[in-house]
Amino acid sequence: MATGGEKYLDKPIIIIGSGRSGTTIMSEIIFQHEDLAWHSNWQEIIVFTPLINLLRPLMNNKFWRFKRFYKYVGVSKNTRQKHQSKIDLVLFNPIERYNFWEHITGKRIDFSRGFLMNEKATPDEVKRIRSFLNKQVKYQGKKRLIMKFTGPARLEYLTSIFPDAVIVNVIREPVATVRSWLEVGFWQRMGIDKLWWRGAYTQEEITYAETIKDKPALITALQYKKLMEATQQEINKLGLDVYECRYEDFVKDPKTFIHKMMDFMQLPPSKNVDAYLENMIVDNRNERQSASKKSAMPEETKQQILAITGNYS
């Protein structure tokens, strides 16, 4: 709960997920809400001051509002040929990257790659992070903070800073998630032949990873399982009330799905969110990947993935 001058940090919203699970498309929609402040492309570049957030009211106000239909989450019905223009590079847009978080958490915390299991913020970290983010919301001219994190949930650390956080966990079917990971450049460089995140694997899992490091789908599946397992362990340990939702339900009925999510987040109805939903195309990428020859996966590999992910399939 916000204290003292931190009135902008009441019930901050945290969206988590494994990555490639639908967190981006869902958060891009929710980010349109009139009440919400978020981490921006500009804050990721200029990490040392919250003053950069004063740009948002200049670019987004009652007189004009620039909307971005991010190329990975859907295409505007009205701008199918120009769904991402060069102007997006200079607009004030939401982004999920970790230069800022590495800076604000400090050298003690490996925020980008650490699971942060059993890790709480120190009093100094709590004070520094809350003070900065309170100003981030204030300078954006908004009422509440929303954050999105993929990979490890980092729930024990984050809830030690934001004890009244409203948490949403996005889940996607594991075979589709693994297949999606295998197609992105980041994963091909970082996690396709080794364990990318650190601090939660048993020695047995580390040894097993060595035996499958030349099998990209399988070592990816192992990492997916560990993310899911660690998240559930933190939820159980902390007794958190987490809203769990699935990508597959989202693509069936995006509008109803988003409205239910907003209800859990205690957000009032939003004209901006509804307008964004009306003007975007939502593809079921599970089906598109299944039908694509480029991303086709042998049935044997699918079964091996499901065997590894087990209870999280």
Side-chain angles (χ1 to χ4, degrees):
M1 183 174 295
T3 59
E6 297 177 345
K7 67 177 183 177
Y8 298 103
L9 294 186
D10 275 331
K11 297 182 179 179
I13 299 163
I14 300 176
I15 299 176
I16 59 172
S18 68
R20 315 305 298 176
S21 60
T23 57
T24 298
I25 185 169
M26 294 174 202
S27 62
E28 284 282 328
I29 297 168
I30 297 292
F31 286 164
Q32 306 305 311
H33 198 285
E34 296 86 341
D35 291 349
L36 297 178
W38 24 254
H39 180 60
S40 75
N41 51 332
W42 283 100
Q43 188 73 85
E44 185 66 7
I45 298 169
I46 303 173
V47 298
F48 52 86
T49 175
L51 290 173
I52 193 63
N53 291 280
L54 292 170
L55 282 175
R56 187 175 181 190
L58 296 178
M59 297 185 182
N60 206 328
N61 52 58
K62 66 180 181 179
F63 300 108
W64 56 77
R65 181 170 177 267
F66 297 99
K67 288 186 295 185
R68 174 190 67 175
F69 288 88
Y70 192 47
K71 66 179 180 178
Y72 294 116
V73 304
V75 180
S76 166
K77 295 175 182 176
N78 299 320
T79 57
R80 295 187 184 195
Q81 301 303 317
K82 297 180 180 179
H83 59 273
Q84 188 177 39
S85 65
K86 291 182 180 179
I87 197 172
D88 285 340
L89 299 176
V90 297
L91 294 179
F92 195 93
N93 283 317
I95 193 172
E96 182 203 359
R97 289 182 186 160
Y98 294 98
N99 283 342
F100 168 76
W101 284 99
E102 290 287 355
H103 172 79
I104 197 68
T105 55
K107 295 181 179 180
R108 188 182 75 86
I109 296 297
D110 183 1
F111 197 87
S112 294
R113 295 185 65 181
F115 274 89
L116 306 187
M117 302 292 286
N118 306 309
E119 187 70 72
K120 291 182 171 64
T122 66
D124 284 346
E125 288 167 1
V126 171
K127 182 179 179 180
R128 179 174 69 250
I129 294 168
R130 287 183 65 90
S131 175
F132 194 109
L133 294 180
N134 186 69
K135 292 173 185 175
Q136 186 181 78
V137 182
K138 178 182 179 180
Y139 294 163
Q140 287 187 31
K142 301 301 177 180
K143 298 178 181 178
R144 287 178 71 188
L145 176 66
I146 186 167
M147 298 165 279
K148 185 191 80 151
F149 303 103
T150 55
R154 311 167 181 90
L155 288 177
E156 189 155 4
Y157 186 80
L158 290 170
T159 57
S160 71
I161 303 169
F162 309 105
D164 61 341
V166 177
I167 302 168
V168 172
N169 184 23
V170 180
I171 297 172
R172 184 183 181 189
E173 189 275 323
V175 172
T177 306
V178 168
R179 183 166 46 205
S180 183
W181 273 1
L182 295 176
E183 293 177 353
V184 296
F186 162 79
W187 196 248
Q188 291 170 6
R189 295 190 306 272
M190 304 299 187
I192 205 166
D193 58 358
K194 58 182 173 294
L195 300 178
W196 175 246
W197 295 285
R198 302 181 286 223
Y201 291 99
T202 65
Q203 186 56 52
E204 182 180 2
E205 288 168 332
I206 293 170
T207 300
Y208 176 55
E210 279 294 309
T211 69
I212 57 172
K213 65 182 181 181
D214 60 341
K215 297 178 175 63
L218 302 192
I219 196 167
T220 301
L222 178 63
Q223 294 179 81
Y224 169 91
K225 177 189 177 183
K226 179 53 67 173
L227 292 174
M228 302 294 286
E229 182 180 78
T231 298
Q232 194 58 55
Q233 286 174 355
E234 288 194 299
I235 290 171
N236 294 343
K237 176 182 178 180
L238 300 171
L240 298 174
D241 178 21
V242 174
Y243 185 77
E244 185 177 291
C245 54
R246 301 194 67 90
Y247 170 82
E248 290 77 17
D249 293 329
F250 166 74
V251 295
K252 289 178 185 177
D253 187 352
K255 189 171 184 178
T256 298
F257 182 99
I258 291 296
H259 285 173
K260 287 181 178 179
M261 182 184 286
M262 286 172 55
D263 286 343
F264 180 81
M265 294 173 171
Q266 301 173 48
L267 288 171
S270 166
K271 292 181 180 179
N272 288 348
V273 168
D274 288 343
Y276 196 83
L277 279 165
E278 288 297 324
N279 282 284
M280 72 182 305
I281 297 168
V282 176
D283 293 327
N284 184 343
R285 295 193 170 221
N286 288 9
E287 293 179 356
R288 192 175 76 175
Q289 284 182 331
S290 296
S292 170
K293 291 183 179 179
K294 179 181 176 181
S295 57
M297 182 176 285
E299 186 62 32
E300 180 183 3
T301 303
K302 294 179 185 178
Q303 294 305 315
Q304 291 173 325
I305 291 171
L306 294 174
I308 290 171
T309 56
N311 294 334
Y312 303 102
S313 299

